[in-house]
Amino acid sequence: MALIGELIMQGAQMLLVLAAAPLLLGFTRKVKAWLLRRKGPPLVQPYRDLLRLIRKETVLAENASWLFRSAPYLIFAATWVAAALVPTFATGLQFSWTADLIVITALLGSVRFFLALAGMDVGTSFGGIGSSREMMFASLAEPAMIMIVFTVALTAGTTQLSEVADFVFAHASLRVSLALALVALIIVALAENTRIPVDNPATHLELTMVHEAMLLEYSGRHLAVIEFAAALKLLLYVSLIACIFTPWGLAQAGGTPAAYAMGFITYLGKLAIGGFLLVLFETSIAKMRVFRVPEFLGAALMLGLLGTLLLFVSRSF
Amino acid sequence: MNAVAITLICVGALLATALLGVAARRSRPAGQLVYLLCLVLCGVMLATAGHQLFAGNGDAVQMQLPIGVPWIGAHFRIDALSAFFLIVINLGASAASLYALGYGRHEEAPERVLPFYPAFLAAMNLVLLADDAFSFLVAWEFMSLSSWALVMSHHRDPENLRAGYVYLVMASFGTLALLLAFGLLAGPAGGYAFGTMKEAIHASWLPGVVLILALIGAGSKAGLVPLHVWLPLAHPAAPSHVSALMSGVMTKVAIYGFIRIVFDLLGSPDWWWSIVVLLLGSITAVLGVLHAVMQRDIKRLLAYSSVENIGIIFIGLGLALAFATNGMAAAAALSFTAALLHILNHSLFKGLLFFGAGAVLTATGERDIEKMGGLIHRMPKTAFLFLGGCLAISALPPLNGFVSEWLVLQAILVSPSLPQWGLKLIVPAVGAMLALGAALSAACYVRAYGVSFLGRPRSDAARNAGEVDRLSLSAMFILLGLCLLTGLLPGYVIDALAPVTQQIAGQAMPQQSTIPWLSIVPIQESRSSYNGLLLFAFIAISTLLAAKAIHRFASRAMRRGPAWDCGYPDASPQTQYTGDSFAQPLRRVFGEFAFLARERIVMPKPGDPAPARLEVSLRDLAWDMIFTPIERSVLFVAEKLNHFQFLTIRRYLSLVFVALVLLLLVVAIWP
């Protein structure tokens, strides 16, 4: 019986991330429009976009291979699983021990691998440029992420996200290395989600684009699935930051329904705040040149390394 | 009959097969017979070693033969460590022999491969069996020479000649270092059997020196930076099934040599020697993969990537050494298991990738990825299998490469409890290098796969390529299956490694196969756990759900059309992104310090119709800083000594006299 309850909670989390991801995207677009003193599209616009794309006919390039056609589903599925493994409204769900923070990072690496391959499949110059730059960013963002994981894991003594959240909740205090990790994680999150100083999610047909360049040949349902995966990834990073650094309100394992409801409401609140801060940052900064990005990400790597080093050194006192 | 005897008989049979290979000459059926015999014999040895490790619980069996040096004899022994390596070697060798049954038919000079191939296999097995320094070194040298002959099998290519020369020099240098190491271990009493060496009491300075010698001797064979220079030359020069063996398997024999000397024969060295191993390992990992990203020759790319993986293995071994010297047996067991698992994993996926490269080579006749492209349409099965290998080596879950790197990262997370400051400061940096290596390796394989298999064909050869034979494909298929199996059920593999870890680190990791849902938990569940099987199931189910839902409820309409490419559809495949252009951003970020990358643009004068050129130069710093100066000084000394060749008889006599007096003086002064 308990197992069924756990499974229901796990399923609820999977559906929650699926439902909330386009909403978060719509929310960020709306807030951005407000900040630019425009009216902006309605909140549900991303759902409409996805629905429209799904209903459309797919146009495939003549020499697209099976990899090109199956990659969107794999990308979507892996991102979905990764997003559902991050605690959203409750910790200690049944399958949270399937993957720790390192596995989630690597799972996103798999997603990137397939996306970059899909970009190269048709054999156009835009796809290649996108893949090449994406892999260059990733070669710095991924080690930075691992160093952040190290900092968090050494502080909490675990790489399990649920345990990390419980630890931070129980021993809340200001820690220098966690602050460094937070800054680094924000930088990595901006880069991974192709947000403004690194890439512009709103551009099209520009030489500066990275993520969009890889998707250029996709249309119809394939494009819809990939766009959905991108929305899920944004949600994943916001929930990740929320879960590690602000675990307040998360329901504990085996909590009352009221606690779960509370966790649910605080989660939505955290998403809104996270989305708002993201947009605020984006509107106040300009996009940087491609070859400034390695410096930006290198800063994240150094911050993460510094955080880890501080912990390694402070253990002996 | 015990395991040693069976293995020795198989080794003897392999040597006889080598003779058959000599007799076979160019006859095709005889060539097939040679590979078939190799396959069967390696299979028997694989089964024997497996039985020894699992059923025999890793207990040692030994044997002594009255051959070799008279008063020593030849000692042979299989313990848990050598049983594990015998499994790795013979697994790779069986797969390579199966592959060669198909691939060998395209060999242009079979008489140069057939005699040496079985001899090479026999030599590698003999190294693992040896239980005294003499037979170890003889087998080691035999392995070097037979592989050298295989490297030289396409000897008309001047590049291969150079590769063979460099390999020969490096191999003899490495053996010299090992000879000295064993000499020090044996001491003045000359106890050359490994059992005697283990019991000997050494001076306090000795372990460090032996460790350095082992690093040079075994490291040069394994491809540790800066001794890796021969590896990217020699591995690609051999036929592909031999390349797979050299990269996937022979480097493991070298690592076995290192483990045997440092962890087994040597007493405990000082803790700070582990820093040397860690530093060399992490530099090797990053530099190897950076070089791999830049390569255009697919086999050279794979060879450099082997250098990277050797680095990862040495990081694991360095951590094990650090923990072991501090008496933290549990952590040492974890890092040692990680290293062993990566040894197994690398032999699996590197074999697979080299087989794939060989298939591409057969189909297109090209090793240059810039002349491939679009092979996924013409060789769909090879493309699928090669993709699996790329995913596994890029450390992506749920395949096997990820598990071993995850274990190394978990071992790094235990290391703050190491007492020494030096280690505390170095280990986080090693972790960052490891992560950097993993990320770059993903970039490397996206490039390799994307440029060669995806896109549009860049040459006629690629346009007219066809799928390879079934035997080659089945060898690749088996290896990919093993990669997936190890990735999904790592718990069983870790348990199987327990006797080896028990022998070397004095403790094994906690038993994994009894953990519910087949997760792996290195230390305790609240700390970290990973379940590849469930992860795979989740991804598979959600992929199916998404695909089904969309095809059921939304449009299934699909149409083919010309590529969109931002509204600039181009006719020529030349406009595709090339491998060099793919690597350009990475070259700009890492190139300057890693290989002094220089770019020069040569613009023609106004009015000159010549094309503008972009020249890029990359240098291997190991050549520039170490080997070229050595080469130059050797030449300089040789030049000077050359004068002594043309002296008069009187001068020779006076030279002899002076030498005699000097020697007598030395003897007189010597304490």
Side-chain angles (χ1 to χ4, degrees):
Chain A
M1 201 54 216
L3 184 67
I4 294 172
E6 290 286 340
L7 284 178
I8 290 173
M9 292 317 288
Q10 189 70 46
Q13 168 145 321
M14 289 202 88
L15 292 178
L16 172 66
V17 292
L18 209 56
L23 189 66
L24 177 64
L25 203 62
F27 178 73
T28 56
R29 287 191 189 150
K30 190 79 182 169
V31 174
K32 195 166 197 174
W34 283 341
L35 288 175
L36 300 173
R37 313 208 72 177
R38 290 190 281 113
K39 203 167 147 215
L43 270 181
V44 291
Q45 190 60 41
Y47 296 99
R48 289 185 190 159
D49 289 345
L50 289 175
L51 215 59
R52 196 190 59 213
L53 279 174
I54 284 177
R55 288 194 185 136
K56 281 198 167 204
E57 180 194 35
T58 303
V59 183
L60 272 185
E62 266 144 7
N63 65 330
S65 67
W66 55 263
L67 185 70
F68 188 81
R69 294 175 61 180
S70 46
Y73 300 105
L74 277 174
I75 289 167
F76 171 76
T79 319
W80 187 20
V81 169
L85 284 168
V86 177
T88 53
F89 62 96
T91 60
L93 291 184
Q94 175 65 25
F95 290 113
S96 64
W97 42 262
T98 304
D100 64 357
L101 201 41
I102 300 176
V103 182
I104 292 173
T105 312
L107 205 54
L108 292 176
S110 310
V111 171
R112 187 186 304 111
F113 195 89
F114 275 104
L115 195 59
L117 283 184
M120 297 187 79
D121 185 64
V122 176
T124 58
S125 34
F126 274 111
I129 205 172
S131 306
S132 155
R133 288 179 174 177
E134 173 82 3
M135 291 323 282
M136 185 259 284
F137 293 169
S139 70
L140 286 164
E142 226 176 71
M145 189 65 199
I146 292 288
M147 290 332 280
I148 296 161
V149 174
F150 273 16
T151 311
V152 171
L154 289 174
T155 311
T158 166
T159 49
Q160 301 281 51
L161 267 174
S162 284
E163 303 278 335
V164 169
D166 288 348
F167 176 88
V168 175
F169 187 70
H171 309 85
S173 63
L174 277 176
R175 283 163 200 261
V176 181
S177 28
L178 273 189
L180 293 176
L182 176 61
V183 177
L185 185 54
I186 290 172
I187 296 180
V188 171
L190 288 171
E192 290 276 350
N193 287 294
T194 63
R195 304 306 295 196
I196 260 192
V198 175
D199 190 7
N200 190 348
T203 53
H204 242 316
L205 316 191
E206 259 188 58
L207 268 177
T208 53
M209 63 191 178
V210 177
H211 182 254
E212 291 291 323
M214 290 188 285
L215 314 183
L216 216 51
E217 298 299 329
Y218 276 116
S219 58
R221 54 175 185 270
H222 293 151
L223 185 61
V225 169
I226 293 193
E227 296 276 343
F228 207 156
L232 274 170
K233 197 170 174 188
L234 180 66
L235 180 91
L236 184 155
Y237 272 95
V238 176
S239 344
L240 188 64
I241 294 175
C243 153
I244 297 177
F245 298 99
T246 59
W248 293 277
L250 279 172
Q252 308 275 327
T256 56
Y260 280 114
M262 186 64 198
F264 186 71
I265 293 167
T266 42
Y267 176 62
L268 290 185
K270 285 180 207 166
L271 280 188
I273 296 172
F276 179 74
L277 290 177
L278 168 71
V279 175
L280 199 64
F281 179 74
E282 268 197 323
T283 39
S284 56
I285 200 167
K287 189 186 166 308
M288 52 175 77
R289 286 176 54 217
V290 166
F291 283 102
R292 290 286 304 282
V293 176
E295 294 162 24
F296 186 59
L297 285 170
L301 178 59
M302 283 306 126
L303 286 174
L305 186 59
L306 203 62
T308 313
L309 214 57
L310 275 178
L311 286 169
F312 261 81
V313 169
S314 62
R315 273 294 164 88
S316 52
F317 296 119
Chain B
M1 197 155 58
N2 68 21
V4 180
I6 300 174
T7 318
L8 275 176
I9 291 170
C10 288
V11 167
L14 275 176
L15 291 175
T17 315
L19 291 180
L20 177 67
V22 177
R25 303 289 300 168
R26 304 195 72 96
S27 138
R28 189 154 291 169
Q32 299 288 85
L33 182 65
V34 168
Y35 287 128
L36 192 65
L37 280 174
C38 289
L39 173 62
V40 171
L41 290 170
C42 289
V44 172
M45 286 193 282
L46 176 65
T48 315
H51 181 261
Q52 184 64 24
L53 187 62
F54 299 119
N57 240 340
D59 293 336
V61 280
Q62 46 193 343
M63 217 174 149
Q64 201 167 342
L65 290 184
I67 50 172
V69 182
W71 59 93
I72 301 176
H75 301 248
F76 298 102
R77 186 160 182 269
I78 297 183
D79 53 9
L81 182 67
S82 38
F84 166 70
F85 276 90
L86 278 171
I87 291 175
V88 171
I89 271 70
N90 287 310
L91 195 61
S94 317
S97 306
L98 179 61
Y99 178 78
L101 275 173
Y103 177 82
R105 275 180 274 178
H106 311 289
E107 184 57 53
E108 55 208 66
E111 74 276 13
R112 291 181 165 275
V113 179
L114 287 178
F116 303 113
Y117 180 79
F120 179 43
L121 297 182
M124 286 195 291
N125 278 302
L126 217 49
V127 172
L128 301 178
L129 284 176
D131 195 38
D132 64 285
F134 181 74
S135 18
F136 184 93
L137 284 173
V138 167
W140 182 276
E141 200 59 5
F142 188 39
M143 172 178 85
S144 298
L145 286 177
S146 51
S147 56
W148 172 79
L150 287 166
V151 166
M152 296 295 285
S153 58
H154 298 167
H155 65 118
R156 307 235 181 263
D157 188 347
E159 225 177 272
N160 291 356
L161 280 181
R162 175 158 176 270
Y165 176 68
V166 174
Y167 178 32
L168 203 58
V169 171
M170 291 297 288
S172 357
F173 176 67
T175 313
L176 175 70
L178 283 185
L179 186 71
L180 291 176
F182 282 126
L184 283 176
L185 280 174
Y192 283 99
F194 283 171
T196 333
M197 279 184 193
K198 234 178 288 187
E199 264 125 51
I201 298 151
H202 304 300
S204 57
W205 55 269
L206 191 130
V209 180
V210 172
L211 188 135
I212 291 294
L213 285 170
L215 267 180
I216 295 174
S220 71
K221 194 100 201 144
L224 211 55
V225 170
L227 302 166
H228 68 287
V229 288
W230 64 273
L231 193 145
L233 298 174
H235 287 191
S240 295
H241 56 296
V242 180
S243 305
L245 277 182
M246 289 180 77
S247 239
V249 171
M250 189 175 72
T251 50
K252 308 303 174 312
V253 180
I255 291 173
Y256 164 80
F258 181 77
I259 294 176
R260 178 62 80 192
I261 295 176
V262 171
F263 285 84
D264 191 25
L265 300 183
L266 197 59
S268 184
D270 286 331
W271 64 269
W272 46 271
W273 288 109
S274 60
I275 291 187
V276 179
V277 182
L278 280 171
L279 272 182
L280 277 178
S282 47
I283 292 172
T284 304
V286 172
L287 268 187
V289 70
L290 274 176
H291 274 287
V293 181
M294 302 297 153
Q295 299 307 313
R296 294 176 62 162
D297 178 337
I298 189 159
K299 285 174 80 176
R300 185 162 296 170
L301 180 151
L302 293 177
Y304 266 121
S305 144
S306 290
V307 173
E308 183 225 348
N309 282 281
I310 295 300
I312 296 172
I313 294 168
F314 268 94
I315 290 177
L317 292 178
L319 285 172
L321 198 61
F323 289 126
T325 47
N326 281 304
M328 298 161 68
L334 170 60
S335 354
F336 196 71
T337 309
L340 290 180
L341 193 58
H342 202 73
I343 286 171
L344 174 67
N345 289 342
H346 181 243
S347 78
L348 294 177
F349 48 62
K350 192 44 68 73
L352 169 59
L353 288 169
F354 262 113
F355 294 166
V360 169
L361 185 61
T362 320
T364 63
E366 283 292 346
R367 268 162 51 179
D368 187 351
I369 54 171
E370 308 283 23
K371 292 190 181 134
M372 299 174 191
L375 294 178
I376 195 170
H377 299 286
R378 278 150 209 93
M379 318 173 65
K381 288 180 189 139
T382 311
F384 177 77
L385 296 164
F386 198 84
L387 177 65
C390 289
L391 287 170
I393 201 170
S394 305
L396 298 175
L399 282 149
N400 60 348
F402 174 71
V403 183
S404 38
E405 291 206 18
W406 185 78
L407 284 176
V408 178
L409 290 175
Q410 294 298 342
I412 288 177
L413 283 174
V414 190
S415 49
S417 36
L418 283 167
Q420 293 92 2
W421 279 89
L423 283 170
K424 272 177 190 297
L425 293 175
I426 210 90
V427 172
V430 169
M433 299 275 263
L434 183 68
L436 186 64
L440 283 170
S441 133
C444 169
Y445 283 97
V446 165
R447 173 178 175 271
Y449 193 79
V451 176
S452 51
F453 283 93
L454 304 180
R456 287 173 285 167
R458 294 179 166 83
S459 68
D460 284 334
R463 207 163 286 125
N464 303 322
E467 191 57 270
V468 289
D469 58 280
R470 283 213 193 126
L471 285 167
S472 307
L473 285 174
S474 59
M476 288 190 257
F477 184 78
I478 290 171
L479 287 184
L480 182 61
L482 287 172
C483 281
L484 190 64
L485 216 57
T486 320
L488 296 187
L489 301 168
Y492 289 109
V493 186
I494 293 175
D495 282 354
L497 294 176
V500 191
T501 335
Q502 185 73 44
Q503 183 198 344
I504 299 298
Q507 193 175 336
M509 271 176 69
Q511 200 187 0
Q512 304 288 328
S513 52
T514 49
I515 293 169
W517 299 87
L518 298 172
S519 291
I520 52 168
V521 177
I523 302 153
Q524 59 198 37
E525 198 180 336
S526 64
R527 218 186 141 101
S528 54
S529 63
Y530 167 62
N531 191 323
L533 192 62
L534 270 183
L535 200 66
F536 182 70
F538 285 161
I539 294 177
I541 292 170
S542 11
T543 310
L544 284 180
L545 270 181
K548 283 275 173 234
I550 284 180
H551 284 117
R552 173 76 182 76
F553 298 110
S555 159
R556 299 187 67 141
M558 199 179 72
R559 177 161 58 88
R560 293 262 180 184
W564 156 236
D565 202 20
C566 254
Y568 297 96
D570 43 51
S572 165
Q574 302 302 323
T575 57
Q576 293 178 86
Y577 234 51
T578 62
D580 282 342
S581 39
F582 190 95
Q584 187 259 356
L586 287 170
R587 199 168 65 222
R588 240 178 109 162
V589 176
F590 298 102
E592 221 158 314
F593 67 87
F595 16 73
L596 304 173
R598 295 266 178 280
E599 289 185 13
R600 202 163 68 94
I601 298 168
V602 187
M603 288 297 279
K605 291 219 173 67
D608 187 356
R613 294 165 55 81
L614 171 72
E615 289 172 1
V616 179
S617 74
L618 301 174
R619 310 197 59 86
D620 196 331
L621 291 183
W623 277 112
D624 284 11
M625 289 163 77
I626 301 173
F627 295 102
T628 317
I630 289 179
E631 194 186 348
R632 227 175 267 153
S633 43
V634 166
L635 273 183
F636 177 78
V637 174
E639 197 76 23
K640 292 290 158 204
L641 286 178
N642 208 10
H643 295 299
F644 290 98
Q645 220 177 343
F646 307 103
L647 300 183
T648 58
I649 188 81
R650 273 172 295 133
R651 290 206 172 168
Y652 274 129
L653 282 176
S654 46
L655 214 59
V656 169
F657 181 70
V658 169
L660 201 63
V661 168
L662 277 178
L663 277 178
L664 283 174
L665 260 179
V666 168
V667 170
I669 295 170
W670 200 263

